[in-house]
């Protein structure tokens, strides 16, 4: 059983920063990729950033240069540092992990960026 516990969302003004965290609890062995998706109202869920167990990162074009994903394997936690936030970053941010080819999702945390 894998559960994901997310935190760090909130309301922030444009240009400010937020850090999201997602901790894996339960069966923590053999977690492969960890990542963050987001879904804005009326839009499809999209990948924001991901990091493999080996540390290789991938970013969406909108996240490049502003967001940084990192993971602490000792704490079974993945972080998303978001800087220079824009109103268009407003969405529910959802943590995702892969284990043995299966995907697990968090409940999501709301990020709202005011102009």
């Amino acid at each position: 059983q894998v559960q994901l516990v997310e935190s760090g969302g909130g309301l922030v003004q444009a240009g400010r920063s937020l850090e999201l965290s997602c901790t894996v609890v339960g069966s923590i062995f053999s977690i492969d990729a960890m990542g963050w998706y987001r879904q804005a109202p009326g839009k499809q869920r999209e990948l924001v950033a991901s990091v493999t167990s080996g540390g290789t990162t991938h970013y969406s074009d909108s996240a490049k240069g502003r967001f940084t994903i990192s993971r602490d394997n000792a704490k079974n936690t993945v972080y998303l540092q978001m800087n220079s936030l824009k109103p268009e970053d407003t969405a529910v941010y959802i943590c995702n992990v892969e284990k043995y080819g299966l995907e697990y999702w968090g409940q999501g945390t709301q990020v709202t960026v005011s102009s």
Side-chain angles (χ1 to χ4, degrees):
Q1 187 76 10
V2 174
Q3 292 181 315
L4 308 181
V5 180
E6 300 152 325
S7 63
L11 172 63
V12 66
Q13 287 185 323
R16 304 297 291 268
S17 300
L18 276 177
E19 183 180 65
L20 308 181
S21 65
C22 171
T23 299
V24 181
V25 297
S27 179
I28 62 175
F29 297 104
S30 300
I31 296 294
D32 189 10
M34 305 177 80
W36 289 93
Y37 286 70
R38 69 186 184 187
Q39 187 162 21
K43 294 188 177 181
Q44 289 190 329
R45 185 174 295 187
E46 62 174 355
L47 175 66
V48 177
S50 65
V51 56
T52 68
S53 57
T56 300
T57 57
H58 171 80
Y59 295 93
S60 67
D61 287 342
S62 62
K64 285 178 184 176
R66 299 188 298 128
F67 295 1
T68 302
I69 191 168
S70 61
R71 63 191 283 173
D72 184 335
N73 291 327
K75 295 182 178 179
N76 307 308
T77 299
V78 60
Y79 304 94
L80 184 68
Q81 176 67 43
M82 304 185 292
N83 298 328
S84 302
L85 283 161
K86 304 175 182 180
E88 51 263 44
D89 294 317
T90 295
V92 175
Y93 285 70
I94 308 158
C95 181
N96 169 277
V97 301
E98 293 181 14
K99 176 183 166 73
Y100 294 137
L102 298 177
E103 289 189 295
Y104 299 87
W105 297 90
Q107 295 287 336
T109 184
Q110 177 70 45
V111 172
T112 302
V113 184
S114 63
S115 57

